[in-house]
Amino acid sequence: EWSDKESLQRVLDDFFFPFLCGDSVVAELGSGGGRISVKVAPRIASLCCFDISSGMLKRAREAVAASGATNVSFTQLLQCQFPEEKTSFYDFVFSF
């Protein structure tokens, strides 16, 4: 995807993981193929992956299943707008 493994790990270590804990409820906007999802899911209570593409959600679902994570849900957005009822629901929201 968009970066090498070492650079991605530095970004996660510096900007994601310090803000996450075992009871965090997290949202990923634009989950793509699940590359970040599989790294974040084991560190938190739950992750909801949002994407406008059903094809990308399918790929993310496959990647998460292959990783063994069971705390991830997937939601297709029908427009480029975060659902209003979810605006205060998450401890951490990211898009990478």
Side-chain angles (χ1 to χ4, degrees):
E1 292 194 32
W2 298 106
S3 66
D4 60 80
K5 290 180 183 182
E6 294 79 19
S7 296
L8 172 60
Q9 192 59 52
R10 278 195 307 275
V11 168
L12 293 172
D13 289 342
D14 292 347
F15 299 106
F16 284 55
F17 297 153
F19 303 99
L20 302 176
C21 62
D23 62 350
S24 295
V25 178
V26 177
E28 180 178 12
L29 302 179
S31 57
R35 180 176 70 136
I36 309 299
S37 308
V38 299
K39 295 185 176 294
V40 171
R43 297 174 174 259
I44 60 173
S46 66
L47 172 65
C48 186
C49 296
F50 292 92
D51 207 300
I52 60 171
S53 168
S54 61
M56 287 288 95
L57 285 173
K58 180 179 184 288
R59 287 183 56 197
R61 193 176 281 114
E62 291 167 354
V64 167
S67 78
T70 59
N71 60 336
V72 182
S73 62
F74 303 88
T75 300
Q76 184 175 5
L77 296 175
L78 302 178
Q79 56 187 357
C80 293
Q81 183 175 352
F82 194 63
E84 189 170 331
E85 67 274 8
K86 299 287 188 175
T87 57
S88 297
F89 186 77
Y90 297 102
D91 301 310
F92 188 82
V93 176
F94 70 92
S95 181
F96 188 83

